[in-house]
Amino acid sequence: AFRRKTTRGDGGGGEGRLGHGVHAKRISQLLQKAERGRLQAYADYREMDREVPELHRARKVLIQFTFGGAFNRQEPISFRLLMKDARPEVVRIVEDVTDSLRLHDTIRQIIGQGVFIGDSFSELNYVIERSGKGLLINQSALWPEHTFVHEIDGFISHYRVAASESDEGRILAPYQVIHYAHDKEWGERYGTSLFYSDEKRWRSGS
């Protein structure tokens, strides 16, 4: 946050407003630079995955090891719900959400993409019932290169889906998005790829 410098009789501090504007512009420039770095990293990770078979196999094996290979009627079983002492209405809601989002299948893709490039985004889709309540029906994947996280005072205010950082795009509320940020550092908006430590060496060709 920036404290506005004010003086008596200036109507709120012209100098303060100018200083605030300069700082805000600088922050905007830094964020744009960071976004360009994030998008370049995504591109690097995708190319690394294509060019280095060992890295591709490593992330596939990791997901398989994490979730196992159990299946039920050709559908994967990725986790077990432990709700022995939960109230019936809670059990029903959890089971409905699991089925609506097809989590046993999609969680492998969500975690897999996060491990791969650092981030995975999905849009949660709702229908409005006659009662006025929203009913969660499914989720659809969002392209990470076109999804931007916006914060206010360290808290996520919204997500923006746009062709680029400068485009207005489409605004989504936090409850409309699943964002899996793999190995996210404290205070960061985005996750860290499993390939992060090898990216610089790969780009240099060593």
Side-chain angles (χ1 to χ4, degrees):
F2 300 96
R3 180 174 296 174
R4 176 180 296 174
K5 181 180 179 181
T6 60
T7 57
R8 292 184 180 179
D10 67 356
E15 181 183 349
R17 286 194 295 272
L18 178 60
H20 186 279
V22 170
H23 286 299
K25 182 178 180 181
R26 177 57 177 163
I27 289 176
S28 177
Q29 291 172 343
L30 290 173
L31 289 176
Q32 289 178 8
K33 183 178 180 180
E35 288 294 353
R36 287 193 295 270
R38 174 174 73 99
L39 300 183
Q40 180 60 58
Y42 287 168
D44 287 347
Y45 298 142
R46 295 187 189 281
E47 192 169 351
M48 289 168 66
D49 192 64
R50 290 192 298 268
E51 293 188 359
V52 186
E54 294 82 2
L55 293 178
H56 176 81
R57 286 197 297 270
R59 69 181 182 88
K60 292 293 186 179
V61 169
L62 176 61
I63 297 303
Q64 184 68 14
F65 178 79
T66 300
F67 295 106
F71 287 84
N72 179 25
R73 298 180 182 178
Q74 297 184 339
E75 290 291 327
I77 300 175
S78 299
F79 53 85
R80 298 192 182 278
L81 298 172
L82 303 178
M83 300 184 292
K84 180 180 179 180
D85 299 322
R87 300 193 307 273
E89 59 270 26
V90 173
V91 173
R92 185 178 66 254
I93 291 173
V94 172
E95 290 178 342
D96 287 347
V97 169
T98 299
D99 292 340
S100 297
L101 301 184
R102 297 181 58 243
L103 279 181
H104 282 285
D105 180 38
T106 57
I107 195 171
R108 297 176 183 234
Q109 301 174 50
I110 291 170
I111 302 299
Q113 186 177 48
V115 167
F116 177 22
I117 63 174
D119 298 285
S120 177
F121 298 92
S122 303
E123 180 178 356
L124 299 176
N125 301 305
Y126 300 82
V127 295
I128 304 301
E129 298 180 310
R130 291 184 177 180
S131 63
K133 295 182 179 180
L135 176 64
L136 179 62
I137 55 172
N138 59 36
Q139 64 175 318
S140 52
L142 295 172
W143 194 246
E145 283 84 342
H146 299 302
T147 308
F148 304 88
V149 180
H150 291 263
E151 294 182 345
I152 296 178
D153 295 334
F155 296 93
I156 295 176
S157 61
H158 63 277
Y159 294 87
R160 185 165 50 86
V161 181
S164 68
E165 171 62 23
S166 59
D167 290 342
E168 184 175 345
R170 185 165 59 97
I171 303 300
L172 297 176
Y175 66 84
Q176 292 178 283
V177 176
I178 295 176
H179 177 199
Y180 172 62
H182 179 72
D183 197 19
K184 188 170 79 73
E185 297 289 343
W186 174 259
E188 296 289 341
R189 298 184 181 187
Y190 301 97
T192 304
S193 168
L194 182 68
F195 298 163
Y196 173 74
S197 60
D198 290 321
E199 182 194 6
K200 185 175 182 180
R201 183 171 56 183
W202 175 82
R203 293 181 72 178
S204 66
S206 59

